[in-house]
């Protein structure tokens, strides 16, 4: 089994890249992709630990993209040349926008009488890709809420007093960026687009026109019916099917590495083989 969607402390997960790889190895996973939000800073240590523990590590990233629908669109990149300077510069730009946004969130919370400091949020994020889960931790520390879930429910979700939009790339640019650094582009968790089957098929067709390689059919938040529907959509459109848990450690305590929520994620090794075949045909070879 493998897991192609995970977050470390380089973004908003709670395990370091090394600890994440150790956990994956201890669980007997054959491969893992590190897909932190807007950063590849965890990749070198993950690759090194993967070598040491004999587990294949796919260098990845997850990008939020601008989209006019009601839901959220995220794109995963796999087998990136993580040292590519264009990629690194664009990701670093996105992280700078995240810092400004975190500052605005802190200011907004102050208006409703909730005092946390931006400095503390930055410290919790460890100077890396700052996200709302780090603000949530600061809110817990300040005694304003008891859990990450409560922090989102009361303050950080859309429509709540501490919500701020995030700067995102257009979908064309996101896919182009991933592909120009040798990667494959996959639509993450299609359910979060909140489209009906026809709408999703049209949307995926358009993304395919921009160079999309696959759909993340298997994901912790998908029902068995959704997994089947996304697999068959991928097959019809000649796209890869991928899958992963979206593990975030303690920031999403109900999601387990490799197995998702109540064992609803089981990603066979054949998914990776297909991804690597496509990589061999169209791009640079991955590590090992
Ligand atoms: P951001 O990148 O700052 O917009 O934060 C997005 C991250 O927040 C997601 O990847 C999740 O890790 C987390 N998240 C979003 N909604 C919730 C929620 N309701 N409860 C817990 N975590 C959430
Ligand atoms: Zn996250
Ligand atoms: Fe996502
Ligand atoms: Fe994710």
């Amino acid at each position: 089994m493998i897991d192609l969607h995970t977050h470390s402390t380089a973004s908003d997960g709670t395990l370091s890249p090394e600890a994440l790889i150790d956990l994956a190895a201890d669980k007997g996973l054959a491969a893992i992709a590190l897909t932190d939000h807007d950063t590849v800073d965890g990749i070198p240590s993950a690759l090194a630990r993967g070598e040491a523990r004999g587990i294949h590590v796919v260098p990845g990233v997850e990008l939020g993209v601008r989209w006019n629908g009601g839901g959220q669109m995220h794109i995963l990149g796999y087998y990136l040349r993580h040292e590519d300077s264009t990629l690194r510069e664009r990701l670093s730009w996105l992280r700078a926008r995240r810092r400004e946004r975190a500052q605005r969130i802190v200011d907004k919370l102050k208006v409703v009488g909730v005092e946390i400091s931006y400095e503390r949020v930055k410290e919790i994020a460890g100077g890396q890709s700052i996200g709302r889960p780090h603000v949530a931790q600061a809110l817990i520390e300040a005694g304003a809420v008891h859990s990450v879930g409560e922090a989102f429910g009361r303050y950080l979700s859309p429509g709540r007093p501490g919500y701020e939009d995030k700067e995102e790339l257009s979908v064309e640019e996101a896919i182009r960026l991933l592909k120009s650094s040798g990667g494959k582009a996959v639509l993450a968790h299609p359910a979060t687009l909140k489209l009906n089957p026809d709408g999703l098929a049209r949307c995926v067709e358009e993304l395919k026109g921009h160079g999309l390689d696959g759909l993340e059919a298997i994901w912790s938040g998908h029902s068995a019916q959704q997994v089947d529907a996304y697999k068959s959509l991928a097959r019809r459109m000649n796209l890869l099917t991928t899958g992963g848990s979206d593990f975030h450690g303690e920031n999403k305590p109900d999601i387990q590495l490799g197995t998702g929520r109540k064992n609803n994620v089981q990603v066979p090794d054949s998914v990776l083989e297909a991804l690597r075949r496509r990589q061999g045909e169209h791009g640079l070879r991955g590590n090992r």
Side-chain angles (χ1 to χ4, degrees):
M1 291 291 150
I2 63 172
D3 191 333
L4 297 183
H5 191 157
T6 70
H7 297 269
S8 76
T9 48
S11 66
D12 56 4
T14 57
L15 294 187
S16 67
E18 289 92 344
L20 180 71
I21 300 306
D22 282 345
L23 179 60
D26 292 346
K27 288 191 163 204
L29 296 179
I32 186 169
L34 180 61
T35 55
D36 276 309
H37 303 282
D38 299 344
T39 182
V40 289
D41 288 348
I43 302 287
S45 8
L47 286 172
R49 194 62 147 228
E51 281 287 324
R53 296 292 312 259
I55 170 168
H56 180 76
V57 174
V58 181
V61 75
E62 181 174 22
L63 301 174
V65 299
R66 276 200 302 279
W67 190 60
N68 293 329
Q72 283 191 338
M73 188 188 286
H74 293 175
I75 306 284
L76 293 159
Y78 291 122
Y79 286 115
L80 306 163
R81 287 191 303 267
H82 60 281
E83 280 160 359
D84 182 273
S85 60
T86 307
L87 176 71
R88 297 190 80 99
E89 276 162 29
R90 207 61 182 134
L91 294 180
S92 144
W93 181 84
L94 286 169
R95 293 195 300 275
R97 303 290 82 70
R98 280 178 170 274
R99 290 194 289 275
E100 293 163 2
R101 170 198 189 220
Q103 178 73 69
R104 292 198 302 275
I105 291 178
V106 169
D107 293 345
K108 275 189 152 177
L109 288 170
K110 195 174 199 156
V111 173
V112 293
V114 179
E115 289 269 355
I116 54 170
S117 83
Y118 171 66
E119 284 312 311
R120 185 59 196 140
V121 174
K122 229 169 66 178
E123 247 170 55
I124 292 169
Q128 314 229 22
S129 184
I130 301 188
R132 285 176 289 161
H134 303 118
V135 179
Q137 288 299 344
L139 287 168
I140 294 172
E141 266 183 21
V145 295
H146 294 103
S147 67
V148 175
E150 187 187 351
F152 273 87
R154 287 180 63 183
Y155 296 113
L156 302 175
S157 293
R160 308 310 299 167
Y163 181 76
E164 271 286 305
D165 277 333
K166 184 170 64 196
E167 183 85 49
E168 295 175 320
L169 305 181
S170 70
V171 65
E172 294 92 325
E173 187 190 350
I175 294 178
R176 195 178 344 112
L177 183 66
L178 298 173
K179 309 215 60 159
S180 74
S181 53
K184 293 283 157 272
V186 170
L187 176 64
H189 39 68
T192 66
L193 296 180
K194 300 197 188 311
L195 290 171
N196 62 31
D198 285 347
L200 180 64
R202 277 195 300 275
C203 175
V204 169
E205 189 75 57
E206 193 181 324
L207 297 181
K208 200 181 160 186
H210 296 310
L212 191 77
D213 296 287
L215 297 184
E216 184 183 52
I218 308 170
W219 181 63
S220 297
H222 288 163
S223 68
Q225 291 78 358
Q226 286 173 320
V227 171
D228 286 344
Y230 303 146
K231 279 183 180 169
S232 81
L233 178 61
R235 210 175 306 120
R236 284 206 310 279
M237 299 217 172
N238 197 22
L239 291 168
L240 293 168
T241 291
T242 71
S245 63
D246 213 352
F247 178 73
H248 281 72
E250 288 309 309
N251 276 337
K252 286 191 182 172
D254 54 330
I255 296 177
Q256 307 302 314
L257 184 67
T259 53
R261 195 176 275 142
K262 298 186 181 149
N263 290 322
N264 68 346
V265 168
Q266 308 282 335
V267 186
D269 297 9
S270 56
V271 162
L272 186 70
E273 287 152 19
L275 180 64
R276 298 186 73 180
R277 264 200 305 280
R278 194 166 170 123
Q279 187 69 4
E281 285 159 17
H282 300 275
L284 280 190
R285 295 200 175 274
N287 60 314
R288 291 201 291 161

